[in-house]
Amino acid sequence: MESLIGLLVAAPLLGAAVLLCGGQRLNRTGHLLGTALAAVSFVVAAVLFFDMVGRDTDDRALHQHLWSWVPVNEFQADIAFQLDQLSMTFVLLITGVGTLIHLYSIGYMEHDERRRRFFGYLNLFLASMLVLVLADNFLLLYVGWEGVGLASYLLIGFWQHKKSAATAAKKAFVVNRVGDAGLAIAIFLMFTTFGTFAFGPVLDDVEASGASQATLTGIGLMLLLAACGKSAQVPLQSWLGDAMEGPTPVSALIHAATMVTAGVYLITRSGAIFNAAPDAQTVVVVVGAVTLLFGAIVGCAKDDIKKALAGSTMSQIGYMILAAGLGPIGYAFAIMHLVTHGFFKAGLFLGAGSVMHGMNEEVDMRKYGGLRKYMPVTFITFGLGYLAIIGFPGLSGFFSKDAIIEAAFAKGGTQGWILGVVTLLGAAITAYYMTRVMLLTFFGEKRWQPDAEGNMPHPHESPKTMVIPMVVLAFGSVFAGGLFKWGDAFVNWLEPVTQFEHGHPPLSVPVITGLTVVVLLIGVGAAWFQYGRAAIPVVAPRGSLLTRAARRDLLQDDFNHVVLVRGGEHLTRSLVYVDNKIVDGAVNGTAAFYGGLSGRLRRAQNGFARSYAVSMFGGAALLVAATLLMRAV
Amino acid sequence: MADMSFPLLTATAVLPALGAVATAAVPAARRTVAKWLAFAVSLGTLALALVVAMRFDPGGDRYQLTESRSWIADFGVRYELGVDGIGVAMIALTAVLIPFVIAAGWNDADPVEGEKTGRSWRPTQGFFALILMVEAMVIISFAATDVFLFYVFFEAMLIPMYFLIGGFGDRAHSRGEEEGAKQRSYAAVKFLLYNLAGGLVMLAAVVGLYVVTADQLGEGTFSLQQIAEARASGELTMGTNAERMLFLGFFIAFAIKAPLWPLHTWLPNAMGESTSPVAVLITAVVDKVGTFAMLRFCLGLFPEASAWATPAVIALALISIIYGALLAIGQRDIKRLVAYASISHFGFIVLGIFAMTSQGQGGATLYMVFHGISTAALMLVAGFLISRRGSRLIADYGGVQKTAPVLAGTFLVGGLATLSLPGLAPFISEFLVLVGTFSRYPVAGIVATAGIVLAAVYVLLLYQRTMTGPVEKPEIAKMPDLRPREIAVVAPLIAMLIFFGLFPKPLTEIVNPAVEHTMSDVRKTDPETAQSDAEAAK
């Protein structure tokens, strides 16, 4: 069985290589090959899953050692995989949703002349993401970590003839690099502390390692920095909204369901370190709580359907990060929400793509309206995703989000109350902005506008290859949560890896659930009050100060622009000046000075060079002569 | 003593030297013959270098394939060659890159149409002969275990380089042919003076070393091994100040060659004005002699002074890393951008050497090799790009991806290697340097790590401005994609970047033992981890 693990990665990697190097002759079949190889990976994952379920709880992890990678003295890195329950969960999510989105893209990218390349990049993403979750050491994880960053860069910038797309791609990579530097430093710290960075030796017995509290906190914070970059958490969240420049299937797969959740994986995987570093955990929950609200507020103000969903993604990942920061009472729920979110958010994005497909690529929700009659399947699947994300009782999001809210209260003390209230508040805002999206898009009057070329949109249902993935994901959005919750199946499944402790919230569970439902209704009601009753202007009203700030991502981009971009430009420009005039000027000045002294400086540099060289060799000859003299004496 | 039977190292250096002479002698009208001859000789040299690598036994003596002959007996100068693992890696790098340099520069020295002919010299023949001459001298430098012998070739290689920079400039100059010639001549003279000045300082130190050995051993010597043995046995002791002065003499020369901030300003001129293949020759091959010599001579001959200078050197290395990267971000000229990126990378190499850990020094050695390959990939593709548009200015491009996707794709891979993307070879060396530095100097390690963020900025900005966006200029709209010769140059380089990114073991195996020797030269061991401390406490 172990030998199958490598195949998981090899199939999409082969696809990427063939599609990217294969050239024009694969244009007509490339997308089929890419999809087939993604499916192969999924089938292998399924085989491995059933094999794993068939074995004892304690005997489920598989290891595959491929080769020794970087051996330098104590520093030993291997290309080796580890498949345990946590990795398995991700592998199924990545290959499952990944295959569906490959299928969807066949239709979505049908008219793009560079479709083959698109599928090559998607395959590259799958392979990198699988390396990320299958690595058995942090250095190999780092390869996957930056690999998905590369795939994300290539796919955000896929339509790179658009300047905005190229800029967004670069921004995503650079912001992510800041996080990556954090991961690198975490690995340095692990190496100097434990003498290794393989999962087993580092994580199995953190207590006995003799590592100081300060070191562990440092490792934890650096891992968190990495997670902030990849998972778009405050303060490294600014790239995610811009990343919506990429084709919509990319937004669904990479920037909603899988890659952006890698930070949650990293923190959960490194749980042993965080458990031993409570200060780092506190920072984790704070980051999660802040982002949860930040993303939700931004999501309320965006008129671009994809950017509204992107705000929502940030917010939902905030929930997961928060849960992961709670320690063993939260890890399993973080991952559970991650999986259900993978279903409904991917479904929502695919729905958004389907709407855009029918509306001449329009993204402004103010120019939608009344689409439920024209795109019934999209409406129903999107609607189920909507109910799931707001946590409608019985659907996936309800179970997973409710568990996180309970765990937040169970953190205990004042912190517990604050976190509990924040998660409830977030749930209310989620209900508000998602209802807004729903109403603006599918209900109300038609507010359709002609596109740049003057064509009115003729919305229609999308082709089968696009509809099927939406339907499958809608099933997941409805049933996954209940399935996971049934007999605590999901928690029991992960428990051997992530550990689990029952939290004891200060309020009884039914009360919390009741509160969740109440805030949900408040959010939905508020949105209906604002967007359901009256006609919606096609041009957005000016809005309150907060609304305007939220439209601009709460001014974080403006801050970045002024401080980092402008400041950086000034810095590099003045350094160029310094280098030319001062550092190099000193050199030229010295040369001119000596040249002038010798009185032989002529107009041409050449004459000067010769004289200088001659004087130097003369000096050298003198030195040699002096030495000879000394020896003779 | 089977090695003595055939002087393999000498042969590896003599073959390109003879090839240079033969190439120069090809009649003026037979340019193509000269090109193929030079290319064949470079392949032959590569074959010899591979034999060197295969004959080298990582578990054997420190210096292998040794040759020793008397040369200038009066001064104790000997013709002594020998390689350790580091030397093998560097010779292999040189021999691997030269065929690519020749193939990429295939048409760079052809007479321009309409240029007045009837010159007495043969530019094409000269161009390739000079490249082979540089190769020969670089190989001797990497193999020399006699300080004086090293010095002679360290200096002598300036001559062919001077002519390569000054005589065969990049024709793409924004301000016309005449201004171009002026800039070129300035760059060549600056290169020569800067390096001569360094060489002069080194010469004083070389003589000083002789005086010290003559004084204490009775007979002066330049032999690296003899000096090292005498120092180990206590026969030879240097006064603290004398050792430091000698160290500085060597170090300054190598820091100019490397180049290290603030002695770097000749590099952007030299790389900017020369043709791309020559720029590769400078940064990927010739400059490596500087960093290589720091490892072999500074650390090997003056361990205590090296330890004394370490804080200052690390500070300079860190400045180079950050400063070079920031300057790269601010460049408007593609080739100068790559030059400043190289300054940043040389900072990493020097940092790794002076971190005095096995990861740092092993990483630095791998860095020299991988930086050579990645810069060659990036710079040669940049050269192909520049030759199409006739401009080095970034602003003259945009949207190339649309018309020349293969060119853009290979340029991106070269760029990603330059920013040390995991999976490609430079990642391994950069990570080793960083982890090796961090384990002894955590703050320096963290500062250097900031360099990886800046690298992403300068590489992706370059890519964005040249390759993406709408096609707005007619010259771009009709730009042809890479030709088969150009693909044949780039593809193997990319294949090497991927291969060593996943499987660097063939290199680490020969480099690790050499690094252990260097570590014992400076009497250093890797820092202990907290875990091993805890175990020791038990």
Side-chain angles (χ1 to χ4, degrees), chain B residues 125-150:
Chain B
Q125 281 81 340
F127 182 71
F128 293 104
L130 287 169
I131 291 173
L132 289 177
M133 200 41 110
V134 172
E135 178 176 29
M137 290 173 171
V138 169
I139 289 175
I140 287 281
S141 304
F142 286 137
T145 52
D146 181 281
V147 178
F148 194 85
L149 179 69
F150 170 83

Side-chain angles (χ1 to χ4, degrees), chain B residues 38 72 122 263 295 520:
Chain B
I72 313 174
R122 287 162 281 190
L263 305 173
L295 259 175
S520 69

